[in-house]
């Protein structure tokens, strides 16, 4: 975790020796990394309280959203949406299935394909922790007003688009 960020004056001095160093870019980047570290630490504490890994949490959230849409997802779709390999997704689904939170079932349209969906126990588990997770996220974002949050989202989407080579929405 980045705890001791360089002062802006130090960045200005370093820029004298390294003309390619843009002090405001370095300052912004370092603060973004520090904030991400702090947010991930809070998320890890929450995951520890509910005994889930980040990967398993992500699968449950994707399937919960899917349930709201009225269907299941294939392991390949889940892997794509979660940004992990199919092998990683298989392992995540295996552990969630062993815990009774998800089930695999044959696709009625293609018997060779499998779908994954939440079990009733999985739905109850997700519905049990969601209120606490929503409160945690609200608490993290509480220092920012609505206008600032929208501004932050716009700025982050601009960075994401630049990094992925896609135009922002």
């Amino acid at each position: 975790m980045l705890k001791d960020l360089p002062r802006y004056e130090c960045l200005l001095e370093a820029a004298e020796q390294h003309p390619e160093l843009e002090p405001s870019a370095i300052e912004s980047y370092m603060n973004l990394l520090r904030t991400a570290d702090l947010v991930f630490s809070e998320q890890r504490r929450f995951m520890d309280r509910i005994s889930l890994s980040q990967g398993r949490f992500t699968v449950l959230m994707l399937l919960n959203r899917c349930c709201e849409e009225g269907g299941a997802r294939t392991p390949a779709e889940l892997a794509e949406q979660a940004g992990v390999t199919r092998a990683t997704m298989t392992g995540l689904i295996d552990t969630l299935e062993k815990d009774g939170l998800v089930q695999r079932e044959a696709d009625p349209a293609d018997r060779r394909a499998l779908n994954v969906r939440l079990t009733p126990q999985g739905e109850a588990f997700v519905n049990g922790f969601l209120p606490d997770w929503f409160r945690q996220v609200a608490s993290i974002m509480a220092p920012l007003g609505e206008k600032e949050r929208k501004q932050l989202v716009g700025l982050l989407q601009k960075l994401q688009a630049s990094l992925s080579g896609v135009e922002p929405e």
Side-chain angles (χ1 to χ4, degrees):
M1 172 153 348
L2 300 169
K3 291 186 179 186
D4 186 24
L5 299 181
R7 291 189 338 272
Y8 194 75
E9 295 77 25
C10 295
L11 295 173
L12 289 173
E13 288 176 23
E16 290 175 14
Q17 289 182 317
H18 304 281
E20 63 280 355
L21 187 156
E22 294 180 38
S24 66
I26 298 295
E27 180 185 43
S28 300
Y29 183 78
M30 300 289 279
N31 275 283
L32 180 62
L33 290 179
R34 182 178 189 184
T35 303
D37 281 346
L38 292 167
V39 168
F40 281 128
S41 290
E42 286 297 311
Q43 181 76 351
R44 254 190 313 279
R45 278 194 280 282
F46 180 80
M47 294 296 121
D48 288 347
R49 280 198 311 273
I50 61 172
S51 301
L52 277 182
S53 68
Q54 183 61 50
R56 292 174 69 200
F57 175 82
T58 299
V59 174
L60 291 174
M61 294 301 283
L62 288 170
L63 289 172
N64 187 60
R65 184 174 79 189
C66 175
C67 287
E68 292 169 2
E69 297 166 2
R73 294 283 187 263
T74 67
E77 289 170 332
L78 289 169
E80 172 69 24
Q81 292 169 343
V84 299
T85 66
R86 290 180 182 197
T88 297
M89 184 54 63
T90 297
L92 292 169
I93 293 168
D94 286 346
T95 59
L96 290 167
E97 188 174 42
K98 186 179 77 172
D99 292 343
L101 301 176
V102 303
Q103 64 187 26
R104 290 177 171 103
E105 54 190 31
D107 185 326
D110 181 357
R111 291 190 332 220
R112 296 169 299 168
L114 287 176
N115 287 325
V116 180
R117 71 172 63 248
L118 289 174
T119 63
Q121 180 183 344
E123 286 181 38
F125 180 65
V126 171
N127 289 331
F129 72 68
L130 274 181
D132 289 338
W133 187 72
F134 291 147
R135 278 190 285 278
Q136 180 195 27
V137 171
S139 174
I140 290 169
M141 300 309 293
L144 302 178
E146 189 67 28
K147 184 178 176 184
E148 291 171 312
R149 292 174 190 176
K150 288 187 185 312
Q151 187 177 23
L152 176 62
V153 168
L155 294 170
L156 292 171
Q157 286 176 339
K158 192 173 182 178
L159 279 175
Q160 292 163 14
S162 170
L163 291 167
S164 67
V166 176
E167 287 298 313
E169 295 177 12

